[in-house]
Amino acid sequence: MAEHKFIQGSPEWHQFRVGKVSASRVRDVMSKGRGDAPSATRKNYMMELLCERLTGRPGGVDLSRNAAVQRGVELEPLARAAYEIDAGNMVTETGCFSHPKIDGFIASPDGLVGSVGSIECKCPNTATHIATIQSGKHDPQYEWQMFAQMACAELEWVDFVTFDDRLPDELQYACFRLERDEARIRQMETEIKLFLEELAELEHEMRERMRSKAA
């Protein structure tokens, strides 16, 4: 594992992520289509990373204009503080981790807890927050993201924090732990390796085209 001390959201952080599979997008890599066919989601993500590799620039949507995302960024410190009070654990802010064995696979936890844990903070709309509390477990759509954090930062668990300051104090915060699952992590790592191999082949083909045009 290698930790890169970039401030999350900084230009350096965005640039470092160019062309790499990030934990927050592992769900796209794992997405399945009908039968054995690759899903459109997986294809679109591969094309996004291919464009990043060829241009050297971060791609995707400008999330700074998304009000819900911006609200989550603003509330994350409050969610982190609520966790520290509830769990009695201090959270250490961190940068980005590269997977110890898979080049091009990275994760940026919302904070480290001791040497074996981290947190994943979400500040969703109120209905989603309440539904997560009612379910008594983490929101499953972020499961692959948390397993990716465990794999890249070599962690044993991730505490999923959901926070909404619009509710009464007693309902603003909830936390559910996801433990490391070696079988799921191996499955994920296998898929990411295949994805990165396909991406490298596409990049090689495009660069060969560039060279032949330039000759």
Side-chain angles (χ1 to χ4, degrees):
M1 142 185 102
E3 181 181 0
H4 310 277
K5 300 285 188 176
F6 303 118
I7 297 174
Q8 291 196 28
S10 67
E12 295 81 10
W13 181 78
H14 282 293
Q15 190 61 44
F16 179 74
R17 291 159 57 90
V18 166
K20 299 180 178 71
V21 172
S22 63
S24 60
R25 302 294 296 276
V26 168
R27 185 184 178 199
D28 293 347
V29 176
M30 303 302 291
S31 174
K32 300 294 183 184
R34 291 186 178 182
D36 294 328
S39 70
T41 299
R42 186 180 185 275
K43 288 180 179 178
N44 290 340
Y45 184 40
M46 186 171 292
M47 182 59 67
E48 181 181 324
L49 292 187
L50 177 61
C51 291
E52 288 186 352
R53 289 190 175 195
L54 294 174
T55 64
R57 299 178 180 180
V61 179
D62 181 9
L63 297 180
S64 64
R65 299 182 182 180
N66 185 317
V69 171
Q70 188 61 35
R71 181 175 184 277
V73 171
E74 293 171 355
L75 287 178
E76 187 176 310
L78 295 179
R80 189 184 301 115
Y83 172 83
E84 290 179 330
I85 293 170
D86 175 67
N89 292 322
M90 291 299 295
V91 177
T92 303
E93 294 186 57
T94 186
C96 189
F97 289 87
S98 294
H99 190 280
K101 296 181 179 178
I102 304 175
D103 187 34
F105 179 25
I106 59 175
S108 300
D110 287 337
L112 298 180
V113 184
S115 60
V116 296
S118 72
I119 61 169
E120 179 59 34
C121 296
K122 299 299 179 186
C123 302
N125 63 54
T126 302
T128 299
H129 175 77
I130 291 174
T132 301
I133 293 175
Q134 290 175 326
S135 74
K137 60 176 291 186
H138 60 274
D139 187 332
Q141 70 173 306
Y142 300 109
E143 196 161 273
W144 286 122
Q145 180 178 359
M146 292 189 284
F147 281 135
Q149 291 173 6
M150 294 181 212
C152 290
E154 298 182 285
L155 304 172
E156 294 300 320
W157 49 263
V158 174
D159 279 343
F160 180 85
V161 173
T162 181
F163 184 80
D164 186 348
D165 64 343
R166 293 166 291 204
L167 287 163
D169 291 349
E170 298 80 7
L171 293 175
Q172 288 184 3
Y173 162 90
C175 177
F176 306 100
R177 179 164 295 185
L178 179 64
E179 301 279 355
R180 188 179 180 94
D181 184 327
E182 294 296 344
R184 298 285 300 283
I185 288 175
R186 284 196 300 273
Q187 176 193 3
M188 174 189 68
E189 290 173 336
T190 297
E191 291 294 331
I192 289 171
K193 286 178 184 176
L194 290 172
F195 181 90
L196 287 169
E197 287 170 3
E198 291 176 35
L199 177 59
E201 289 177 6
L202 290 176
E203 181 185 6
H204 177 73
E205 291 174 5
M206 294 306 298
R207 294 195 182 281
E208 285 296 312
R209 286 173 180 261
M210 292 163 58
R211 279 191 284 269
S212 65
K213 290 284 187 180

